[in-house]
Amino acid sequence: MVKKSNVVELEDVVVKFVGDSGDGMQLTGTLFSELAALYGNDLATFPDFPAEIRAPHNTIAGVSGFQVHIGRREIHTPGDMCDVLVAMNPASLQANIKWAKIGATIVVDQSTFEDKAITKAGYQSNPLEDGSLGDYTIIKAPITDLVKESLKDLEIDKKMAARTKNMYVLGIVLYLFGRDVQKAVDALNKRFGKLPDVAKANKTAIKAGYKYAEEDETIIRTYKVDPAPMKKGKYRNITGNVATAWGLLAASERSGRPFFLGSYPITPATEILMELSKHKSLGARVFQAEDEIAGICSAIGASFAGNFAATTTSGPGFSLKSEALGLAVIAEIPLVVVNVQRAGPSTGMPTKSEQSDLMQALHGRNGECPTIVMAASSPANCFFYAYMASKLSMEHMTPAVLLTDGYIGFGSELFKIPKVAELPAIKPPMAEPNEPDYKPYRRDESTLVRKWAVPGTEGLRHRIGGLEKTNIDGNVSTDPLNHQLMVKLREEKVKRVEEFIPEQEVFGEESGDLLVVGWGGTEGALVSAVKKMHDENYKVSLAQFNYIKPLPKNTKSILSNFKKIIVCELNMGQFVNYLKINFPEFHYHQFNKVQGLPFHVSELTNKFKKVLEDN
Amino acid sequence: MLEKERIKKSPVKLTKDDFVSDQMVKWCPACGNHAILASVFKVFPEIGYQKENFCFISGIGCSSRFPYYVNTYGFHGIHGRAAAIASGVKIGNPELSVWIATGDGDSMAIGGNHFIHLVRRNIDVNLLLFNNQIYGLTKGQFSPTTPRGGVTKTSPQGTIEHPFIAAGLVMGAQGTFFARSLDNNIKMLTEVMYEAAKHDGTSVVEILQNCVIFSDKAFENITDKGIRDDVQLWLKHGEPMIFGKNKDKGIILRDNKLRVVTIGVDGIKKEDILVHDQYRKDPGIHRMLGRMHPPKYPMAFGVIRSAPFNTYDRLLDEQLEFAKKSDPVKNVDDLLNSGDTWEI
């Protein structure tokens, strides 16, 4: 007998799965996201896991989470506060209750709320019984016990049975959202096809969880989130790090230059290295170097030797690469450096996100040392900006730094699959064999770009390196005027890239009371906040920058069209300082947050309103 | 002429003139580097690759100006990083014959990490290690190979550091090729460079190189004409390890140790002398040979070790070939459409 419950229709819902590191919350969240995508929701996800691989059991330090934001409208972020919190033990509840909206539904595994675990989580008394959760709707299910019971007829060991409690709880959540449990069963068949026992245990658990929820009298409310009106096309879910890796591979294919990656493992950038390591079938030569310096230096060698080369890292590694990046600048060779930013300084908070490496990207090298600097702004567009950074680097014979961050690197969203042939062409300036009178630093008059002469090519032998060299001939030189000329040429060459990048777009009206300025990975939160302001009829627009050096040519005119400007960044004000240097004529308000956390939409809108009210 | 798969041979016989660059050589007069340069001019035509397929990579220091003086493709890197740069060059473009010019400071101090990892990976490049036991270009500070007690500008009372022995470092890092030579012996230097080029894998050629300004006569106890025959052991594969002015001294192996003996004394016969096998995979004897030095032993020169092992570049090629055959992802469109996708 199926009971009737109250169905709440929602535009969007944030679900957060949290538990102990070994509880399988990443898989649960991933599966829930896949099913939502299949159903037609737009979505964004973010995993939230500790730096420790297996922190002590049942402690706050060991809490691992996965947040999913699904909607029937466009979804820009993994969401701030959650509507549904699934907590598999007391520690995970303790650590995450602050992220639950008042009135949220909280699903807990009641079996884990034993005295010892409750104390370990830092509770004085059992929160399920002391009335402290009165603001929420609690679904208490003794999941660990129930799952053992449900699987008792299967011939599997108890440990494996216990491990399927994540699927049991997913069954409950699927019921809460009125989703088809059979689709989940199909997905499990696909995922565990080669491990029939595991597949069977998981399928049994998910069905049992669903059935439990159906029959549980205390579940009085379920949610309905209709499919989103998406542009027609083929979609997939993708994380920023995988998208970055694929963008680099696409650029290699399109340019015809073989791909080389020199890299060293570092959180949160390692996934790019791991992803590229899988794609030898595309000719990707991936070199896991002995350190960050060898990562970039090997990439410089490969680039000199005619490969499209990249190196991937995060802040501390980016510091180590500084000297070598200068070498690539003075040698004028293509090289993409991806910095998946994390909270610094030093080791900082490796798994937490920040935007604090912008100044380092722009200026963190000895000498006058310009590179292209760009930033991706969502998990999916990491693909496009990695591609564009590669294109500009190769076509302009200069290194390009691509900034992403842990938030979009680990985060995922739906990605409309492009066709490689429809991406902009990449035409590196290759020197032809036996080109008459080839000189290594002869430049194209309009772009100032020199030619790429690949070792092994007949008739083009030449020597280049880190010493200052004469323009055109490329011979070592300490001539004062030549040095000044070369410094100017390298700077001007990067500046002229502005002719090859799109104009900055504005989200919202072209003019108004307030221009919100952001860059990189904060786009989702800023778009959501500006949309909210639009709903309340504020004249607010957003300029989210992806091209930072050079800036788009229309930057100044955009800035001049608004009464007020506020620059929002997850740092102490690095982009705003850059704007102040370039456009000192404007007054800039700032909103800065350095907590290793993304912006929350509500804190943004509050700030915007305050800036608008202040005289 | 050498035959290596993938590296193009020159259709015509090349000469020194094909490799002399138009740049003025700016080393000090009588610097040992001049002889090393002369040896390269001599051996490159003999190796016989197409001149565009040679590539010289360097770091920083006197040694590292080398690429400017050889008319090949060349890249002058930054301090200590030549090994890392060269790794990328060779992996990215296996059709090149890659040569590294580096010094004791460049490769064993600031670049020590890259050096041992290059050797460990056995990437098919040739590394010329100009060992003059001093920092020359920064004007006379002690280096990781300066003998203990060496008085330099940064060790006015003598160094208190234990120096590296390059051979020990190379073999400790699983090196497959190590040769030692002297800057003033162009004939032998040319020979070991040829052997280095022939070897598949990372070939380290240590060249004891005299810095006339800051460590002049550092190797006098080895090179002095009066004693050199008694303190230099020139190894040749398949031949007994005999040395000495009278060709009567030799090396034998007893109780797992190398010992110097005199033929005819204590019943030692010529047949008792150890025969050099540079291709032995086991590095035991090579390691001992590499560490020998006067006064107890002669110093070993020539190719000490040239053991056949798989190279990084070949194994990588095999993996690439295998993946290209077996992986259904043939291009980036395949990749983008792989796994779970949804049509909307």
Side-chain angles (χ1 to χ4, degrees), chain A residues 9-13 41 70-73 75 224-226:
Chain A
E9 282 198 41
L10 289 173
E11 286 264 301
D12 64 313
V13 163
N41 295 128
I70 62 172
R72 70 170 183 215
R73 57 171 181 80
I75 297 298
K224 186 161 184 271
V225 184
D226 285 334

Side-chain angles (χ1 to χ4, degrees), chain B residues 110-158:
Chain B
I110 189 168
N113 198 28
H114 311 309
F115 178 71
I116 57 174
H117 286 278
L118 170 70
V119 167
R120 171 178 74 85
R121 292 188 182 105
N122 205 30
I123 298 172
D124 190 14
V125 300
N126 311 295
L127 184 145
L128 305 180
L129 178 64
F130 298 31
N131 182 3
N132 56 11
Q133 303 186 341
I134 196 81
Y135 283 91
L137 201 58
T138 50
K139 301 189 171 48
Q141 301 77 31
F142 69 85
S143 87
T145 57
T146 305
R148 183 181 287 185
V151 173
T152 71
K153 288 184 184 164
T154 46
S155 57
Q157 294 170 276

